[in-house]
Each structure stands twice: as C-alpha cells, then as structure tokens.
Amino acid sequence: MKLALTLAATTALAAPALAENLNVVGSWSSLPLHQQYEAPFWSETLPEASGGEIEVALTTHDQMGLGVGDVYRLLGQGVYDVAMTVADYAVADAPELEGLDVPLVATDASTAREMVEAARPMVDDIYADRFNSKVLAIAPYPPQVVFCNAEIGSLEDLEGLKVRASGRMTAKFLEALGAEGINVAFSEVPGALQKGVVDCAVTGAGSGYSAGWWEVSTHLMPIPLGGWDSVVTAMNMDKWNSLDAETQELIQTQIKTEFEDPAWESAQDALVNDIACLTGNGECPYGDARDMTLVEASETDIANAEEILISEVLPEWSERAGDDWAQRWNASVGEVVGVQIAQ
C-alpha cells in the first residue's frame, strides 16, 4: 500500500501542469516578418522555452479574412489571446497612436528603434485604454519606401501624383507635399498601379519585392516616407492578468530576446538587400534581382520634407490627438529625433 501511494505521489509530481493555450493571430502571412520571426517564435521557440506548458494555435489575420482595422478591436473583446499587425491600421480608433511611426524622422534602424522605445510608454497606455490589451513587443517592417509607375527624379516630383499611403500621417504628409493620398488595400496595389488608379504607392521594400510590385512599377525611392510601419504584438489584458507571474516573465523575456531583438537587428541589412533585389544594385539574397530605377533622395528633398513635417503634419496630428499626447510625444520621441511640435 505504501509503495502504491509513493508511486502515485511520484507520478503526480512528474506530470506536467495543464498547458496554457494561446490563440495567436499573426500579421501578413506572406511577408518576411511573419515567416522569419513571428511563426517560428510562436510555433516553436516559446512552447519549447516553456517546457511544453504553453501551447499555441497560430494563424494570421489575412488567413482569417479579418479587416485590418478589426484586429485589435477583436483582441480587446477576447476573440483571441494574442494579435499582431501594423499599428497604423488601428489609428481610426486611436489617433494618438500615429505618433509611434512618424514619416522621415528616422532614416536608419538604430534611430527607428530608439524612437519606438521612447514611444513605448505611450503605446502601452494606448493599448491598455483603447484595446484592453498588454503590449508585448514592437517590431519593424523595413522602411516604407516609394514605388512609382511614373518617372520621378526627386521627392518634389510626387506633386500632382496619386499616391497610395501606408498610414494616415503619411497621407497627410503627401497631401502637404501636393500629392493626392489614396487609400488602397495592400493586396489591391498591383492592380491599382497597373490601371493607373495610383501613380505611386508606399510600402516596405521587402513587402513590395515579395508581393511583386516591381512588375507594375518602374522607379523606387528608398526614403522612409511611411516611417517603419511598426508592428505591435499585444495580448488581451484579461488573458494576461490570468497568467501567473512566472509565465508572464517567461513570455516577456522570450519575446524580447527571441523575436523583437532579432527583428530589429536584421532591419537595416534587410533594407539594403531589398533595394538590391528591386534594382539590381548589389546582390539579392532572396531570389532574382529586378531592374527598377533607383532614385536617391537629395539633401534638399530631406530638408523640404522635414519642414513640411514640422510645420504642417505634426501640428495637424496634435490637434486631432490632443495637447496632452503632443506634450508626451515632445518629451519622448521628439527628444530622441530632435523634432518638437510647437505648442
């Protein structure tokens, strides 16, 4: 009898606790961020690090057929546990979130990460208040550059053209530049460029290469006109609060070291490689190089763009988001990038 009780006790101690099941919705399934970082992290890295105590069911919002503006709304309602997509998709619900990814203020990955880390406390508050969610990570798509099916030689040449913007603040910038900002879904851009619905379109260089935009575009301007299109990973707050402290710590540590850090570390090299793949200037590690015309922005282009940003775009955002958010932005992101919104 004692032996039986001892065996029973030993078996009970050896049996794993009930697994924590997470339903996770990733970003665009066809793009490198999901394929190289999101999917391996959620499907393999985190479950293995937990010793099998975290199990993940992973899909993506495009595979589910979700409207991109619904991703965080549904997360807050608890339809799934974790979600990630471009923060700009949520600005209709949270205009203050536009301050995370301002066009042209970060021209390299190092500065972009400093900008994101400075904005992180604001983003944490926005997601908690607007989407009942806990921010776990913020990772970049490569800079949002300009693809044109029209001959351009400078930023000024966008004046009068119809340009698909990658976010609301980018659209406002384009309008201030004299272009017409057009709202076209990412998947519909190739057809829009081919049919002349838009003359140019803004997206990540790697995204454009993967999606075949080079087939319907002739010129590439690798200026971060649409910022870095930050992708926010967040967990439903009720789910987060239901986890014990040890599980929370494991998730936060693993997602930083095994997902967020590697995604940022590869961002700058990814841009160089993407430009090589799109234009043939350099070696393309992903496949066949294309022959788009590379249009480098001049110092005059950059100076004019920054003037428009400071004098028109940021003050307009300040009015919509509110003075409190503008003050927080000035004291955080603005300090990092050397730009201040006039109060």
Side-chain angles (χ1 to χ4, degrees):
M1 184 65 175
K2 288 184 179 179
L3 179 59
L5 288 174
T6 301
L7 287 173
T10 303
T11 302
L13 289 172
L18 290 175
E20 189 68 56
N21 296 300
L22 297 178
N23 292 313
V24 178
V25 176
S27 62
W28 293 103
S29 61
S30 63
L31 299 184
L33 181 66
H34 176 74
Q35 295 177 352
Q36 297 175 18
Y37 299 104
E38 286 177 3
F41 176 78
W42 291 104
S43 298
E44 301 171 14
T45 304
L46 183 61
E48 289 175 5
S50 74
E53 293 187 10
I54 296 177
E55 296 180 354
V56 174
L58 176 67
T59 184
T60 63
H61 58 67
D62 56 309
Q63 290 170 335
M64 293 178 70
L66 293 180
V68 291
D70 294 327
V71 172
Y72 295 124
R73 293 179 197 143
L74 296 175
L75 174 66
Q77 294 167 19
V79 174
Y80 31 76
D81 301 314
V82 179
M84 57 214 77
T85 195
V86 178
D88 272 339
Y89 293 161
V91 299
D93 293 323
E96 61 272 26
L97 190 56
E98 293 174 47
L100 171 62
D101 197 28
V102 177
L104 297 166
V105 296
T107 56
D108 58 68
S110 176
T111 304
R113 188 167 195 187
E114 289 179 13
M115 177 178 70
V116 164
E117 290 179 348
R120 180 67 182 265
M122 292 193 299
V123 177
D124 288 345
D125 290 346
I126 293 166
Y127 274 75
D129 294 342
R130 296 281 193 172
F131 304 113
N132 184 38
S133 299
K134 164 73 175 177
V135 175
L136 300 177
I138 305 176
Y141 279 139
Q144 302 297 288
V145 300
V146 188
F147 291 74
C148 284
N149 195 17
E151 187 170 345
I152 60 169
S154 69
L155 195 60
E156 291 181 351
D157 291 339
L158 297 181
E159 183 177 357
L161 299 184
K162 295 172 290 186
V163 185
R164 181 262 188 183
S166 60
R168 182 180 292 185
M169 195 174 284
T170 301
K172 295 295 182 182
F173 175 84
L174 288 166
E175 290 169 9
L177 194 64
E180 181 182 358
I182 304 291
N183 184 22
V184 179
F186 176 82
S187 60
E188 297 173 1
V189 169
L193 282 166
Q194 190 171 35
K195 296 173 184 175
V197 175
V198 296
D199 303 298
C200 305
V202 177
T203 196
S207 303
Y209 177 78
S210 299
W213 287 22
W214 44 269
E215 294 182 297
V216 289
S217 304
T218 57
H219 289 64
L220 178 75
M221 179 178 284
I223 182 174
L225 192 62
W228 289 70
D229 232 16
S230 299
V231 173
V232 175
T233 300
M235 179 179 287
N236 174 273
M237 190 66 78
D238 300 321
K239 181 67 175 181
W240 175 255
N241 290 334
S242 75
L243 302 176
D244 60 57
E246 185 177 355
T247 302
Q248 290 179 346
E249 177 65 24
L250 174 70
I251 292 172
Q252 287 184 309
T253 300
Q254 287 292 312
I255 203 167
K256 182 181 187 304
T257 60
E258 304 302 322
F259 168 67
E260 192 176 39
D261 287 351
W264 276 107
E265 286 165 6
S266 68
Q268 190 64 41
D269 286 343
L271 176 61
V272 173
N273 291 335
D274 294 338
I275 292 172
C277 290
L278 288 163
T279 66
N281 290 298
E283 293 188 12
C284 175
Y286 311 133
D288 294 333
R290 308 304 170 178
D291 60 354
M292 294 184 68
T293 300
L294 180 63
V295 181
E296 295 283 7
S298 66
E299 292 184 6
T300 300
D301 282 333
I302 298 295
N304 290 342
E306 289 180 352
E307 172 59 29
I308 291 172
L309 182 72
I310 294 169
S311 64
E312 299 186 47
V313 178
L314 284 172
E316 193 273 343
W317 170 68
S318 175
E319 289 180 7
R320 287 184 293 106
D323 287 342
D324 289 347
W325 287 106
Q327 290 174 13
R328 288 188 68 176
W329 192 92
N330 278 345
S332 55
V333 179
E335 289 290 335
V336 167
V337 299
V339 173
Q340 293 288 293
I341 306 170
Q343 298 289 294

